[in-house]
């Protein structure tokens, strides 16, 4: 055996060099990558929650706008039917032609349903609910007045029916009905404008939120990908070093002279 051969060096060199590899750096890089992906996952969840909230707000604003539009439609039909009923009654009394009663009969049959739908559509708004109740009372009073005169005429009391028409009570009721209806219509129109602006704001906010969230998520994913690439590069470099160390250890095994050891080590390095 060559006395210059150092057996402890042969057996310990690969282990010592491999143990001295940058393991703490690898662990730190792995933690950074893991933290990056965790942040991306948390950002995804947060963006999803905010997007859901924005979508719910947008849907609620749209539903409120639709509800106001429906209220306006019901109110317009109530006012139109009240006018049609009065037109039919006057047509009958002035001409004696029963065909004029068709608008009156149609309005009398449907206006109650429209009034109920109107009250239901403004439920939750105390001011509009009170106005709808007042309007319903006026419509019912008007229909009762019209019905009385129509009944008198159909019973053969044309002069009595005309006297009711000339009395002015029906005209006063109709004038008040129109005033209340127009005031309610103005309130609903203002509410519709406000709710339309709120709906447009909700849509705009939702769009900005989605765009901003997507940009933040893209940045986080890019950072995580960059850290992963750096980690892979560091691992590749460390693997290359470890392979060289292992190859060096294998070359140094066995009995060699000092000159052979130096030559072999330099060649492997």
């Amino acid at each position: 055996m060559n006395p210059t051969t150092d057996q402890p060096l042969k057996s310990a060199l690969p282990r010592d060099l491999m143990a001295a590899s940058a393991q703490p750096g690898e662990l730190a890089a792995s933690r950074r990558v893991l933290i990056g992906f965790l942040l991306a996952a948390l950002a995804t969840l947060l963006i999803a929650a905010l997007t859901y909230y924005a979508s719910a707000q947008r849907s609620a604003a749209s539903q409120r706008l639709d509800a106001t539009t429906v209220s306006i439609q019901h109110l317009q039909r109530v006012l139109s039917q009240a006018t049609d009923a009065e037109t039919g009654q006057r047509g009958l009394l002035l001409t004696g032609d029963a065909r004029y009663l068709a608008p009156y009969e149609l309005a009398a049959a449907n206006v109650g349903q429209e009034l109920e739908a109107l009250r239901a559509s403004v439920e939750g708004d105390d001011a509009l609910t009170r106005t709808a109740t007042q309007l319903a009372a006026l419509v019912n009073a008007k229909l009762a007045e019209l019905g009385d005169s129509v009944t008198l005429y159909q019973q053969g009391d044309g002069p009595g029916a005309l006297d009711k028409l000339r009395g002015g009570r029906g005209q006063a009721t109709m004038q008040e009905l129109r005033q209340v209806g127009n005031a309610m219509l103005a309130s609903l129109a203002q509410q519709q404008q406000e709710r339309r602006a709120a709906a447009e704001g909700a849509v705009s906010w939702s769009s900005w939120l989605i765009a901003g969230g997507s940009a933040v998520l893209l940045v986080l994913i890019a950072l995580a990908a960059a850290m992963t690439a750096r980690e892979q590069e560091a691992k590749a470099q460390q693997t290359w070093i470890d392979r060289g160390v292992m190859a060096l250890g294998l070359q140094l095994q066995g009995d060699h002279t000092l000159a052979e050891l130096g030559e072999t080590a330099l060649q492997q390095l």
Side-chain angles (χ1 to χ4, degrees):
M1 171 158 313
N2 193 328
T4 62
T5 302
D6 189 355
Q7 292 296 333
L9 176 63
K10 293 184 296 182
S11 60
L13 181 59
R15 298 192 190 95
D16 292 342
L17 289 177
M18 291 179 67
S21 63
Q23 293 180 359
E26 290 181 2
L27 292 176
S30 297
R31 283 195 294 269
R32 287 195 298 269
V33 172
L34 179 61
I35 290 173
F37 278 111
L38 286 177
L39 288 176
L42 290 176
T44 301
L45 293 176
L46 179 60
I47 292 168
L50 291 175
T51 301
Y52 175 79
Y53 174 76
S55 177
Q57 291 295 105
R58 182 175 58 188
S59 177
S62 178
Q63 289 176 358
R64 288 193 294 268
L65 176 60
D66 292 342
T68 302
T69 302
V70 169
S71 298
I72 291 175
Q73 292 172 349
H74 286 309
L75 177 58
Q76 290 174 336
R77 282 196 287 267
V78 167
L79 296 176
S80 176
Q81 287 170 355
T83 301
D84 290 345
E86 184 181 56
T87 301
Q89 176 248 17
R90 291 187 177 184
L92 173 67
L93 298 184
L94 295 177
T95 66
D97 190 344
R99 289 177 299 177
Y100 282 98
L101 272 183
Y104 163 80
E105 292 171 345
L106 184 62
N110 296 326
V111 73
Q113 182 178 355
E114 289 294 341
L115 285 170
E116 184 60 33
L118 176 61
R119 278 194 294 263
S121 68
V122 298
E123 188 176 3
D125 190 315
D126 294 338
L128 289 175
T129 299
R130 287 194 298 269
T131 304
T133 301
Q134 182 184 4
L135 181 65
L138 290 170
V139 170
N140 290 330
K142 180 61 180 177
L143 288 177
E145 179 265 329
L146 295 175
D148 289 342
S149 61
V150 169
T151 300
L152 286 175
Y153 188 87
Q154 290 175 337
Q155 291 176 351
D157 189 3
L162 289 173
D163 287 340
K164 277 188 172 292
L165 178 62
R166 297 189 187 100
R169 184 170 65 89
Q171 183 179 2
T173 302
M174 191 64 182
Q175 184 176 0
E176 184 179 2
L177 188 156
R178 287 188 178 125
Q179 289 175 349
V180 172
N182 289 334
M184 187 177 185
L185 188 61
S187 297
L188 286 172
Q190 181 179 359
Q191 184 185 81
Q192 184 184 46
Q193 184 176 1
E194 294 171 353
R195 289 183 173 181
R196 180 177 290 110
E200 292 173 352
V203 171
S204 177
W205 182 72
S206 176
S207 300
W208 279 108
L209 177 62
I210 293 173
S214 300
V216 170
L217 185 59
L218 182 61
V219 170
L220 289 175
I221 292 175
L223 289 175
M227 287 189 290
T228 301
R230 285 197 296 269
E231 183 184 17
Q232 294 299 325
E233 182 180 358
K235 285 183 177 180
Q237 291 177 353
Q238 188 59 46
T239 299
W240 179 76
I241 293 173
D242 291 343
R243 287 177 179 174
V245 170
M246 292 180 65
L248 177 61
L250 292 174
Q251 292 294 330
L252 295 180
Q253 289 180 359
D255 294 333
H256 303 284
T257 64
L258 184 60
E260 290 173 344
L261 287 174
E263 182 67 21
T264 301
L266 286 174
Q267 289 178 357
Q268 184 60 35
L269 291 173

